[in-house]
Structures are given as structure tokens and as C-alpha cells.
Amino acid sequence: MPQIVHARTAHRPRWWAELLLLVVVYAAYSAGRLLARGDVSTAVDHGLAILRIEKAFFLNAEHPLNRLFTSTPALGIPADFAYASLHYVVTPAVLIWLFRRRPAHYRVARTWLMLSTLLGLVGFTLLPTCPPRLLDASYGFVDTMAQYSSYGWWGAEASAPRGLGGMTNQYAAMPSLHVGWALWCGVLLWRHGRTRLIRGLGIAYPLLTVIIVMGTANHYFLDAVAGGAVMGAGALLTGRALRTADRGWALAAERYAFVGGLARLPEPVRGGPVAVAKSSDGSPAVHSPAVHSLAVHSPPVESPAVEPPAAKSTAANSPVKPPNVSDGCETSAGERFPGQRTRTNSSTGDPSSTGAAADDAPAAAR
């Protein structure tokens, strides 16, 4: 049975179109994050509520980790560098790796990332949350980003470069997209990596990110849990979003010819969207849902039998038997060939019966 691969998935997208799409989505996310700034008192109330829930269930691992990073610069400084940079480096690196090495999986992964990021923006808007580092000092947290700011490029306001702290929303702690993006990278490295090292990094990177965001007092533990939940919701919506996008591209390609080339769509076939099929011998074939039932469910047409080459060669090499001129022949009355067979009576089978008295008797005419 042929394996059907949708045409949009079978082709690597155009790199400049993908770059433009990602830039537009990230710019919209950054602008929405700034516009989602809520009241500071409301954000502080939400942060304290989360902290109370964690203490009630003994989940507040932020306190011991923050004390460890604050008292040990050898841990706190690298953690601040990782928090301020890794999500800007590792996430695009995984995207580029998928684009170049796993193009069949790139489009699904990119759509998953974008949907989850937009869902996180909804969380920032509905639930502005003060991170632990911005709570009053009486709650026992130290802002390691401010403590070690002289070692890096970030200022005391946030992980943004100095002087640009006002360009970020410091109260967008719930959910933690640092953790969400790290989980996205980890899943893809584990699923599509072919070495133990790559798969090991896929496990270590999300776990390390969870420890870093809590130890630097930038997020609560429940923020990290919410980041994972957002990625799960984005994964569930990815299939439906891709199907909707495919239908939209197909409709646009029917009206505007240049859209098919922009999206690398094949020429449309009446009866349904075109797909690329691989036959059993590996040769490509064109497939559409309108003819799929004919191609799959129709009974196979039997081809005429062909004599095997071995049989032909045997028949060609066998010696030709010379014909026996008297085999099956009969003579007229009074004529006889030497060694001619005598005709027996069909009823008795006795050559001495009617029609032949002896071997030298003439045979009856037929």
C-alpha cells in the first residue's frame, strides 16, 4: 500500500519566508507582552497566592535554591548567564537543525512552538504575576540578576541589556516560557536525535532550566509547571492548526497562482488536495483523495502470464524429434508402408478382429 505524504510536509519551506514568519510572530509576542502589563499590586497578590499554595503542598523549592545561588557565586553567575541567553540561543539552534536535517518534522515543530508562545501571552494577560525576586525582602528571596549584574550585560531591572529594562514586562512570570521553550527543545532533541549525547541533552536541558529559573528567583515552581502545560496545549492544537492552514493555502492557490510557488505547493488536481505518494518500489506518484479509493480499493488487474526465461531456454536447447511420417497415417486399400501399425477394432481391441486378420493385411481406408 503506498505511503501518503502531504505535499506541504514533503518540501522544505523557503528559508526567507520562515525567517520572516518567525520575526513577525516574535515581534507580535514581544509587543503583546508589553501591552499585557497589569497593575503591580495585582501581580504581587498573584505571586503571594502562588507562594502560599506551594508552601501548603511543600513545593517551594525556590527558597533553598535561591539561597544556594546567592551564597555561591560559582553557581549563581553561570545561572544568570544561562537565564539571560540560552533561550535566545538554543531555541533558534534547534529550529535551524530541524530545518536542515529533519525538514519533514520542521513545520510541525515550528507550529507547535508558535501556538504555545501565543498561549503563554494569553497567560501573561489574564494572570500578571510578580516573580519571587521582586517580592519584598521579608519573603526571603534575593535577586541574583541584580546581585551579579556587574558580571554580565543585564541590568538590575531584568535580564534585558542595561538601559533596556523598561522594554520588558517583569510581571510576566506565569507561565514560564523559559521552561516551556526548553521543554520544546528537549522533546525534539530526544525524538529526532540519533546519538546518546543529543538525547541526553534533550533530557538535561529542560531539567537544568527549571533549576535555574527557581534558583535565580525569576519564577516559582508552579510557573514552571504552567510552562509545561502551555506546551502540552500547544501540541494538542498543532494538528488542527496545520489542517486549517493547508486548506487556507489551497484556497488561496486556486485564486492566486503565485501563492502555490510561495508555499511550494504542487499544481492542484481536481478532486482534492494534491499529495506525494511513495509506491512500494520507492518511485514517486501523484495522489489525491478523489482517486485514492480507486487506486487502493480497486481489484488488481492481472497481467498476462509470461513464460519464464528458464522454460524458454530449455525448449530452445532440447533436440528436435524427427517426424514419423507413418505415425497416425493410414493407407488406402492395397497400399502399405513398411512397419505400418495395424488398426485394431475399437470395441474389442483385438487386431485379429474385423478390419485386420494379420500384420501383413492391408489397412482399411478411413
Side-chain angles (χ1 to χ4, degrees):
M1 185 175 179
Q3 180 182 1
I4 306 302
V5 180
H6 288 285
R8 291 294 310 281
T9 306
H11 298 281
R12 179 185 285 114
R14 299 185 185 276
W15 68 268
W16 54 267
E18 287 298 307
L19 181 61
L20 179 61
L21 175 63
L22 293 174
V23 168
V24 170
V25 170
Y26 187 76
Y29 160 74
S30 300
R33 182 182 167 114
L34 289 176
L35 295 175
R37 290 178 178 176
D39 182 66
V40 174
S41 61
T42 303
V44 172
D45 291 340
H46 290 162
L48 293 176
I50 292 174
L51 188 59
R52 286 193 296 268
I53 293 173
E54 289 187 353
K55 287 183 177 180
F57 291 94
F58 303 100
L59 300 175
N60 57 323
E62 306 94 316
H63 276 112
L65 285 173
N66 183 243
R67 287 193 293 266
L68 177 63
F69 284 17
T70 302
S71 61
T72 310
L75 295 177
I77 295 174
D80 286 343
F81 272 99
Y83 181 83
S85 61
L86 283 186
H87 64 294
Y88 291 122
V89 176
V90 178
T91 308
V94 173
L95 268 177
I96 295 173
W97 173 67
L98 288 172
F99 184 84
R100 294 181 59 86
R101 299 297 182 88
R102 308 289 188 271
H105 305 284
Y106 168 80
R107 186 165 172 257
V108 174
R110 176 257 288 159
T111 305
W112 176 23
L113 179 64
M114 291 194 305
L115 286 176
S116 302
T117 301
L118 295 178
L119 290 177
L121 182 60
V122 174
F124 300 154
T125 305
L126 298 180
L127 193 67
T129 304
C130 177
R133 65 184 179 86
L134 295 183
L135 293 176
D136 188 81
S138 60
Y139 292 99
F141 292 103
V142 176
D143 187 355
T144 61
M145 304 294 293
Q147 180 180 357
Y148 301 122
S149 62
S150 60
Y151 293 92
W153 61 83
W154 56 87
E157 297 88 359
S159 60
R162 290 186 181 89
L164 298 179
M167 299 298 295
T168 183
N169 183 3
Q170 298 190 69
Y171 298 98
M174 172 68 78
S176 172
L177 287 186
H178 276 76
V179 174
W181 291 357
L183 180 61
W184 176 86
C185 294
V187 170
L188 294 175
L189 291 176
W190 173 262
R191 290 187 61 184
H192 305 302
R194 295 178 180 175
T195 64
R196 291 184 177 180
L197 176 61
I198 298 298
R199 291 188 171 185
L201 291 175
I203 297 175
Y205 180 52
L207 296 177
L208 184 63
T209 302
V210 172
I211 294 174
I212 288 174
V213 300
M214 291 193 299
T216 57
N218 279 285
H219 289 283
Y220 306 95
F221 174 74
L222 291 182
D223 293 346
V225 173
V230 163
M231 300 308 296
L236 294 176
L237 296 174
T238 297
R240 179 174 297 180
L242 286 175
R243 289 191 294 270
T244 303
D246 287 341
R247 286 193 294 267
W249 279 110
L251 292 175
E254 291 180 359
R255 293 190 176 186
Y256 308 102
F258 72 93
V259 174
L262 180 64
R264 288 194 172 181
L265 291 172
E267 292 295 329
V269 176
R270 293 183 179 180
V274 177
V276 178
K278 295 181 180 179
S279 58
S280 58
D281 59 354
S283 60
V286 178
H287 171 79
S288 69
V291 298
H292 178 62
S293 59
L294 296 178
V296 176
H297 302 291
S298 299
V301 180
E302 297 183 358
S303 58
V306 180
E307 183 180 356
K312 292 182 178 180
S313 60
T314 304
N317 297 331
S318 61
V320 180
K321 182 178 179 181
N324 187 354
V325 297
S326 64
D327 190 11
C329 298
E330 296 180 357
T331 59
S332 60
E335 294 181 351
R336 180 175 182 269
F337 290 115
Q340 178 180 348
R341 295 182 300 176
T342 58
R343 183 178 182 182
T344 61
N345 193 321
S346 59
S347 60
T348 63
D350 185 4
S352 61
S353 60
T354 306
D359 291 339
D360 58 347
R366 178 175 298 180

